[in-house]
């Protein structure tokens, strides 16, 4: 997993040879556009929304160990290690042991600390089992280890998240529990108290769910995400169907293609006992069928199953990206609805001023204003002194709303700029993962068909030597 120092700054192209996969994860070094981590001060052609890395961070998750075994508090810990030249780290090779709940804490608080960043998801235990059914605890533990590695790998590819102090403590700290308590007690981004923005915008967002003036750039992004997730979902369904028809995951022969080849091998072997003249060739043919059945099962476990798990993880990664786009829309709706509310309050203030000045027709500013005047008259509050008091309160509210609208506008613009930058980062990471995923699957299929060809090439001459007397 950990590459050489002289290679980490090289610009890796699509023609670069794929690295050999190890247990630490599906990738053995920085490769593909998702790992392009330049430290140059300026780059030719770099736009305002293009990401810029300050160094590299190469991670690994391995060596799962069951701690406190045979007790009710038993859990599994993983060795997380990294190799980096980022100045925020105190050592170039940090490592520590962490449990799954530590990964949960890391993801939860990174999402809170960096709401505009696409923080990747990890798969739950139920997801790992439902995607690929397996009765072996060791196999599920290995999948969990690979999934956690992929989670940290995505964080390491992100130019902002890779430099977060929480991620540094996750790799380096020997007092992780103290770090967690301190982070909860004193978060880097303090939670905002419920003020005029929250109380007004939250209530309005419950009534309005669409952006009034959508940005074409983000509409195109959402459409692209929809098509991508639709394609991933369809591919996952098709590969799952093919996988179940080839090998249902049961180690015993069943109602699948591997079981059919196994049954055929048994039948051919039985035929060999009946045909004494060709018993030996038929036994060879039966053994080849058994070997091919075993190859199918091995290909499913080593190639198809990891491909399906990675495919599902990529779909969840896209869900995290969609959540950021949805949050950006919410920021824009905050601004739009606050602006609309400010307009309404200003109109009400102007109406009251017109009534006090006694201008003709000033009370005919809509059915709502008329009904409000009638209710005030019934309650005995239809006098200039009451109107002046209401105007004073409305002036105060208008000042608060003007500040709130300005803040919401700045927040929406800043969030939009950050979202554009995040899309560039996500696209690069997605391209790298798809190249890695499809490359590993293609390598597995090539290995399978080479082994199958060798088996059939050995049996063909034996079958051809059979002479049948007519």
């Amino acid at each position: 997993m950990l590459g050489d120092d002289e290679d980490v700054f090289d610009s890796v192209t699509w023609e670069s040879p794929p690295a050999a996969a190890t247990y630490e994860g599906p990738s053995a070094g920085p490769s593909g556009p998702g790992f392009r981590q330049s430290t140059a001060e300026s780059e030719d052609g770099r736009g305002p929304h293009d990401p810029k890395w300050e160094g590299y961070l190469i991670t690994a998750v391995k060596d799962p160990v069951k701690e406190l075994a045979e007790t009710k508090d038993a859990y599994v810990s993983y060795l997380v290690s990294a190799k980096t030249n980022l100045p925020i780290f105190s050592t170039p090779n940090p490592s520590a042991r962490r449990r799954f709940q530590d990964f949960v804490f890391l993801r939860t608080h990174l999402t809170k600390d960096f709401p505009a960043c696409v923080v990747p998801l990890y798969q739950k235990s139920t997801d790992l089992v439902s995607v690929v059914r397996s009765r072996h605890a060791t196999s599920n533990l290995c999948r969990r280890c690979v999934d956690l590695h992929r989670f940290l790998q995505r964080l390491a590819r992100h130019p902002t998240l890779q430099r977060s102090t929480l991620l540094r403590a996750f790799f380096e700290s020997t007092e992780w529990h103290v770090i967690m308590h301190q982070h909860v007690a004193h978060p880097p981004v303090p939670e905002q108290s419920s003020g005029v923005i929250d109380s007004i915008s939250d209530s309005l967002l419950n009534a309005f769910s669409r952006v009034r003036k959508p940005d074409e750039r983000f509409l195109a992004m959402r459409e692209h995400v929809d098509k991508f997730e639709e394609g991933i979902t369809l591919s996952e369904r098709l590969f799952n169907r093919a996988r179940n028809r080839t090998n249902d995951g049961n180690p015993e022969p069943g109602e699948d293609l591997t079981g059919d080849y196994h049954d055929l091998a048994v039948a051919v072997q039985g035929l060999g006992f009946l045909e004494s003249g060709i018993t030996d060739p038929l036994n060879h043919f039966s053994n080849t069928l058994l070997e091919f059945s075993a190859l199918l099962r091995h290909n499913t476990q080593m190639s198809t199953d990891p491909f399906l798990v990675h495919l599902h993880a990529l779909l969840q990664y896209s869900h995290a990206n969609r959540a950021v786009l949805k949050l950006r829309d919410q920021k824009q709706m905050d601004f739009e609805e606050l602006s609309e509310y400010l307009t309404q309050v200003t109109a009400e203030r102007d109406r009251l001023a017109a009534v006090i000045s006694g201008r003709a027709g000033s009370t005919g500013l809509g059915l709502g204003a008329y009904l409000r005047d009638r209710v005030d008259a019934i309650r005995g509050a239809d006098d200039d002194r009451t109107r002046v008091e209401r105007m004073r309160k409305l002036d105060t509210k208008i000042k608060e709303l003007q500040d709130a609208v300005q803040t919401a506008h700045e927040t929406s613009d800043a969030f939009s700029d950050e979202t554009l930058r995040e899309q560039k980062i996500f696209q690069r990471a997605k391209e790298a993962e798809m190249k890695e995923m499809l490359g590993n699957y293609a390598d597995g299929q090539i290995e399978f068909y080479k082994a199958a060809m060798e088996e059939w090439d050995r049996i063909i001459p034996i079958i051809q030597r059979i002479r049948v007397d007519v």
Side-chain angles (χ1 to χ4, degrees):
M1 280 305 305
L2 305 181
D4 298 331
D5 288 338
E6 59 270 19
D7 296 330
V8 294
F9 294 106
D10 292 341
S11 179
V12 184
T13 64
W14 284 89
E15 288 75 21
S16 59
T22 64
Y23 176 73
E24 290 129 8
S27 176
S31 63
F35 279 105
R36 188 171 179 274
Q37 302 177 351
S38 174
T39 58
E41 290 296 329
S42 62
E43 298 176 8
D44 295 337
R46 194 167 70 90
H49 299 126
D50 290 338
K52 181 178 182 295
W53 284 264
E54 295 186 2
Y56 65 89
L57 176 62
I58 308 171
T59 63
V61 179
K62 55 186 177 181
D63 190 21
V65 175
K66 190 172 184 179
E67 309 283 356
L68 303 178
E70 307 301 331
T71 66
K72 65 177 182 178
D73 298 325
Y75 64 92
V76 177
S77 67
Y78 305 87
L79 177 63
V80 295
S81 58
K83 187 172 185 178
T84 180
N85 68 343
L86 292 171
I88 192 174
F89 286 86
S90 60
T91 174
N93 297 287
S95 64
R97 296 204 69 90
R98 299 287 181 252
R99 57 186 300 180
F100 179 71
Q101 293 301 324
D102 299 332
F103 288 87
V104 174
F105 181 89
L106 176 65
R107 201 266 169 187
T108 300
H109 287 272
L110 284 178
T111 304
K112 293 181 180 179
D113 299 342
F114 303 94
C117 294
V118 181
V119 181
L121 293 167
Y122 46 80
Q123 298 192 59
K124 300 179 181 179
S125 300
T126 53
D127 293 334
L128 289 173
V129 175
S130 61
V131 174
V132 177
R133 292 173 293 178
S134 177
R135 299 182 180 182
H136 299 285
T138 304
S139 178
N140 292 331
L141 188 60
C142 291
R143 292 195 188 100
R144 165 65 70 196
C145 191
V146 171
D147 182 66
L148 293 178
H149 162 77
R150 187 176 295 119
F151 167 72
L152 289 184
Q153 187 183 57
R154 289 168 174 171
L155 294 179
R157 289 174 176 175
H158 198 287
T160 301
L161 299 178
Q162 68 171 192
R163 294 182 287 108
S164 65
T165 56
L166 188 61
L167 185 63
R168 176 190 61 80
F170 184 81
F171 281 103
E172 290 185 344
S173 178
T174 57
E175 298 179 346
W176 173 246
H177 292 285
V178 177
I179 297 295
M180 288 194 294
H181 288 298
Q182 291 178 348
H183 195 85
V184 172
H186 307 285
V189 182
E191 297 182 1
Q192 296 180 355
S193 59
S194 180
V196 63
I197 299 179
D198 298 326
S199 60
I200 297 175
S201 62
D202 290 347
S203 61
L204 291 173
L205 282 177
N206 292 329
F208 301 94
S209 58
R210 290 185 179 274
V211 177
R212 295 186 179 184
K213 297 180 180 179
D215 192 322
E216 294 295 333
R217 297 173 299 176
F218 299 106
L219 287 178
M221 290 179 187
R222 185 178 292 273
E223 182 180 0
H224 179 76
V225 169
D226 291 338
K227 291 181 178 179
F228 175 72
E229 292 184 357
E230 182 181 358
I232 291 292
T233 302
L234 179 61
S235 300
E236 186 179 14
R237 186 182 304 117
L238 293 176
F239 275 95
N240 257 316
R241 185 182 305 170
R243 189 257 188 204
N244 292 333
R245 291 179 178 178
T246 303
N247 181 18
D248 59 7
N250 194 334
E252 300 297 329
E255 299 296 330
D256 54 24
L257 193 58
T258 58
D260 293 340
Y261 275 106
H262 182 274
D263 295 342
L264 180 59
V266 174
V268 171
Q269 189 177 29
L271 182 62
F273 293 121
L274 299 177
E275 300 293 338
S276 58
I278 56 174
T279 299
D280 188 62
L282 289 179
N283 285 338
H284 282 290
F285 184 54
S286 175
N287 292 334
T288 301
L289 290 174
L290 290 175
E291 288 294 331
F292 187 70
S293 176
L295 281 175
L296 280 174
R297 186 175 292 107
H298 178 77
N299 179 63
T300 300
Q301 296 173 353
M302 303 305 295
S303 178
T304 306
D305 286 355
F307 176 77
L308 284 171
V309 172
H310 199 162
L311 202 64
H312 191 73
L314 195 59
L315 180 62
Q316 289 190 322
Y317 195 19
S318 181
H319 290 340
N321 180 47
R322 177 188 291 274
V324 171
L325 291 175
K326 183 178 180 181
L327 185 58
R328 192 218 69 86
D329 290 344
Q330 290 178 353
K331 298 298 181 182
Q332 183 175 344
M333 285 189 289
D334 280 347
F335 169 66
E336 292 177 347
E337 299 305 332
L338 282 171
S339 300
E340 179 66 20
Y341 188 53
L342 174 60
T343 302
Q344 295 175 2
V345 173
T346 304
E348 173 65 13
R349 194 266 182 202
D350 294 341
R351 185 188 72 85
L352 291 176
V355 171
I356 294 174
S357 63
R359 290 197 294 268
S362 59
T363 58
L365 299 178
L367 180 61
Y370 174 78
L371 293 176
R372 189 179 299 110
D373 287 341
R374 294 302 90 200
V375 171
D376 290 342
I378 295 173
R379 295 171 55 190
D382 188 20
D383 57 353
D384 289 344
R385 186 176 61 181
T386 304
R387 292 191 182 97
V388 170
E389 179 65 20
R390 287 176 57 189
M391 285 182 58
R392 186 185 63 81
K393 293 181 179 179
L394 288 176
D395 287 336
T396 303
K397 181 178 292 186
I398 288 173
K399 182 66 172 79
E400 293 179 356
L401 284 173
Q402 288 174 343
D403 295 339
V405 168
Q406 181 65 23
T407 301
H409 179 63
E410 295 173 355
T411 302
S412 178
D413 288 347
F415 208 96
S416 296
D417 292 340
E418 189 65 27
T419 301
L420 292 173
R421 189 177 298 108
E422 284 298 310
Q423 295 308 303
K424 294 286 187 72
I425 298 172
F426 176 76
Q427 289 299 325
R428 293 187 178 188
K430 185 184 69 175
E431 290 174 5
E433 285 202 24
M434 292 191 68
K435 179 188 175 184
E436 173 191 310
M437 176 182 66
L438 295 174
N440 290 339
Y441 181 74
D443 292 340
Q445 297 303 306
I446 292 173
E447 179 183 354
F448 163 72
Y449 283 108
K450 281 184 177 180
M453 288 174 61
E454 293 176 359
E455 291 293 334
W456 291 112
D457 287 342
R458 281 196 293 265
I459 193 59
I460 288 176
I462 298 176
I463 297 298
Q464 289 176 342
R465 286 198 295 267
I466 297 177
R467 294 291 181 266
V468 180
D469 298 331
V470 180

